[in-house]
Amino acid sequence: MHPARALRLASLDGYRRLEQAFDAPFGAALNPWRHLGALGFGLFWLLAISGIYLYAVLDTSAQGAWQSIDTLSREQWYLGGVLRSLHRYAADAFMLVMAAHLLRELLVGHYARFRRFSWLTGVPLLLFGFVCAVGGFWLNWDQLGQFSAQATAEWLDALPLFAAPLTRNFLQVDAVSDRLFSLFVFVHLGMPLLLVFGLWFHIQRISRAAVFPPRALALGTLAALLGLALAAPVMSHAPANLAIEPAQLALDWILLFIHPLARATSHGAVWALLAAALAALLLLPWLPAARSAPQRSPLAPPAPVAVVDPDNCNGCRRCFDDCPYAAVTMVPHPNKRLRQLAEVDADLCASCGICVGACPSSTPFRSAAELVTGIDMPSSPIGRLRHQLQQRLAAMEAGAPRLVVFGCDRGARVDTLDAPDVAAFSLLCAGQLPPSFVEYALRDGADGVLVAGCQGVGCEYRLGQRWTAERLAGTREPHLRASVPRERLLQAQADAGQEPTLREALQRLRQQINPAAAPAAPTDAPAHD
């Protein structure tokens, strides 16, 4: 095995085990590792709300800043002091979550192809966050803020960018004027505005982006930060004094680690390390990683993008609504007046097939020999799946219950369930499955159908499992007909590596089915209105 492929497999499997380990205490729906992006947004909103109050009571002059913050912390501890501590700890958590989100996307290969835009717009946000966080220490203008401001000036002076060294602003006792302090305020308040724009830009190609974490997870995170703020309140150091060099500092190693790193090495070394890290991250989407990509990896060579058939597209907009990456747009139909036609942007298409499951022309029972849909995947046409389903069920021996399993290429491997009495089909995504295929299977002789996908919030294509569940429950179009006997249908969620979960689900389906008392298979009536 190629060393790069072996390393990628090991890192991916290691991360999946870590993520799945947190499913036990938190549940898959509230696992923080599955909501890192939404958690980051939630922490940003918390920083904005607490920061607005703190700015309202802050004296933004060089002489009055320390006193206003110290008074707030001591005399109004029940609100101002707690909010100040909450603001600091939320900043720590925000940076940790952003870094963890970046690392997760790196490990699972979410940086190439249709995800390239989100990756390239997300990497700079980590820098914006750090600049904003470091600038916040200067506003307090205590000895820690003084140390950070001087260390930052020395670090910036290592670059030949400024006519005069920035450290000259800290040579005299009264050198820090209100004018310089206004610059500190601009850094800490202006950067969040840039961060807001960057976050908005970051999610532009993601449909239904989660900008709020689940309520239980958000409240749990808030409670944890509040508990930390009450147990270990943040207090100011002594006022800044340029005549002395601070001796002992309670350094925030999450937000200010760059200062001791620069002192332990050199300013040039830190700049070189930062430049190398940024270059590697920004160039990563263009590296030939697909050559060593493991099977079933997001980095594997892409399948052909979805193709629209104008003769069968009726402009219903369901593929437009369900696409998780805004790859489908609606344009005037060239052959039908007052109708629209779906159009696929090849650069945005994830080749997930979710649009195929959304298309109503995939689902009606038809007398035609070949099932043709308004939008389809050339690598995995829905008509071929229909033909394979018929063949497999026809070849099964009568007697034992005949079962059909529809699964996902990115989830647990359904081919491990294949048996003489089990026909397993793996789709590009569970969302590619039109609901009527459950009815097709039962009509063609199946006694039960198992539909398996990834864990709901861990879907490789974000919305595939969610749309599948809603379609089968009848709450999303196209829906499974109410006349289909639900006791002959079972849904399961299992990520890659969780094949035992699939086997358990199949056994439950066997126990659930009573062939002798099962309702008659559906007739050839149309599946949808």
Side-chain angles (χ1 to χ4, degrees):
M1 181 182 292
H2 193 283
R5 178 178 178 179
L7 179 61
R8 188 171 292 111
L9 276 172
S11 61
L12 181 58
D13 289 344
Y15 175 76
R16 281 175 174 163
R17 285 195 295 270
L18 171 67
E19 192 174 72
Q20 292 166 7
F22 276 75
D23 285 342
F26 291 96
L30 296 178
N31 187 337
W33 291 101
R34 299 181 185 273
H35 294 282
L36 291 172
L39 268 177
F41 270 100
L43 289 166
F44 181 79
W45 308 136
L46 179 58
L47 284 167
I49 293 171
S50 58
I52 289 172
Y53 177 81
L54 293 174
Y55 179 71
V57 299
L58 172 68
D59 185 336
T60 56
S61 67
Q63 300 300 321
W66 182 89
Q67 186 63 50
S68 67
I69 289 291
D70 188 66
T71 300
L72 180 73
S73 301
R74 298 182 187 279
E75 297 183 5
Q76 201 190 99
W77 67 268
Y78 52 86
L79 179 59
V82 171
L83 270 184
R84 179 197 178 183
S85 300
L86 182 65
H87 191 72
R88 167 76 74 82
Y89 291 132
D92 289 330
F94 179 61
M95 297 311 304
L96 288 176
V97 166
M98 286 184 70
H101 181 54
L102 182 74
L103 180 60
R104 179 193 186 277
E105 300 305 288
L106 175 64
L107 291 177
V108 300
H110 290 178
Y111 53 79
R113 299 169 49 208
F114 58 94
R115 293 186 174 97
R116 182 181 297 137
F117 177 85
S118 296
W119 176 265
L120 295 177
T121 55
V123 169
L125 298 181
L126 200 59
L127 290 182
F128 297 164
F130 266 115
V131 172
C132 178
V134 172
F137 289 90
W138 306 344
L139 291 188
N140 190 28
W141 204 231
D142 60 357
Q143 290 186 358
L144 181 60
Q146 173 189 330
F147 164 75
S148 177
Q150 289 176 316
T152 302
E154 293 171 1
W155 187 52
L156 291 173
D157 282 341
L159 297 177
L161 297 178
F162 306 101
L166 295 178
T167 49
R168 292 181 57 184
N169 292 292
F170 305 100
L171 295 180
Q172 299 177 2
V173 175
D174 58 349
V176 178
S177 63
D178 288 349
R179 183 177 179 182
L180 180 60
F181 207 77
S182 296
L183 177 62
F184 294 169
V185 173
F186 174 78
V187 169
H188 189 57
L189 299 184
M191 195 55 65
L193 297 177
L194 186 60
L195 194 57
V196 168
F197 175 76
L199 289 169
W200 172 81
F201 209 57
H202 179 57
I203 61 175
Q204 280 306 290
R205 295 188 179 182
I206 301 176
S207 300
R208 295 177 173 83
V211 295
F212 295 101
R215 181 178 298 178
L217 187 58
L219 292 176
T221 303
L222 177 60
L225 293 174
L226 276 174
L228 189 58
L230 292 170
V234 175
M235 302 301 293
S236 299
H237 291 69
N241 187 347
L242 297 180
I244 62 173
E245 182 175 352
Q248 292 185 341
L249 297 173
L251 198 66
D252 187 321
W253 288 90
I254 297 175
L255 303 178
L256 298 179
F257 73 91
I258 196 168
H259 300 326
L261 179 62
R263 289 201 170 189
T265 56
S266 68
H267 297 120
V270 174
W271 276 117
L273 179 63
L274 177 61
L278 276 178
L281 291 173
L282 294 176
L283 291 175
L284 191 61
W286 284 279
L287 296 180
R291 297 175 185 174
S292 59
Q295 270 189 328
R296 298 156 56 88
S297 165
L299 295 176
V305 300
V307 175
V308 177
D309 183 347
D311 293 334
N312 287 277
C313 176
N314 63 7
C316 69
R317 299 175 65 89
R318 289 176 186 167
C319 57
F320 169 80
D321 291 334
D322 286 6
C323 180
Y325 298 100
V328 179
T329 55
M330 304 304 297
V331 299
H333 201 293
N335 305 325
K336 302 175 183 178
R337 293 187 60 188
L338 305 179
R339 287 288 185 91
Q340 289 184 309
L341 176 73
E343 186 175 75
V344 178
D345 187 328
D347 291 334
L348 302 182
C349 182
S351 303
C352 61
I354 292 176
C355 54
V356 180
C359 185
S361 59
S362 307
T363 58
F365 290 99
R366 294 182 173 184
S367 58
E370 183 179 359
L371 176 61
V372 181
T373 182
I375 188 167
D376 211 344
M377 300 303 301
S379 62
S380 181
I382 205 68
R384 185 170 68 191
L385 176 64
R386 177 76 182 100
H387 182 64
Q388 291 172 343
L389 176 64
Q390 291 174 320
Q391 283 188 323
R392 289 293 305 275
L393 286 172
M396 287 184 180
E397 296 182 2
R402 291 177 288 185
L403 306 178
V404 172
V405 179
F406 295 109
C408 171
D409 284 348
R410 305 299 184 188
R413 303 184 70 109
V414 297
D415 56 3
T416 60
L417 303 179
D418 240 332
D421 62 337
V422 178
F425 302 92
S426 188
L427 310 178
L428 298 171
C429 173
Q432 185 187 5
L433 181 71
S436 62
F437 267 65
V438 174
E439 198 164 352
Y440 283 149
L442 297 178
R443 188 189 67 171
D444 291 340
D447 295 294
V449 177
L450 174 64
V451 178
C454 304
Q455 296 278 4
V457 292
C459 176
E460 175 65 26
Y461 300 109
R462 299 181 51 249
L463 301 174
Q465 178 59 32
R466 175 181 170 185
W467 293 162
T468 300
E470 291 183 7
R471 292 166 187 167
L472 295 179
T475 59
R476 189 172 193 85
E477 296 295 337
H479 66 271
L480 182 64
R481 290 199 307 175
S483 60
V484 176
R486 288 333 194 247
E487 67 274 10
R488 299 172 68 182
L489 169 66
L490 186 66
Q491 297 181 63
Q493 297 183 13
D495 291 335
Q498 294 182 322
E499 283 72 21
T501 302
L502 279 188
R503 289 192 288 272
E504 293 172 5
L506 188 64
Q507 185 58 30
R508 289 199 306 273
L509 180 61
R510 292 184 189 278
Q511 296 172 353
Q512 187 174 301
I513 293 173
N514 184 353
T523 65
D524 288 349
H528 298 277
D529 294 334

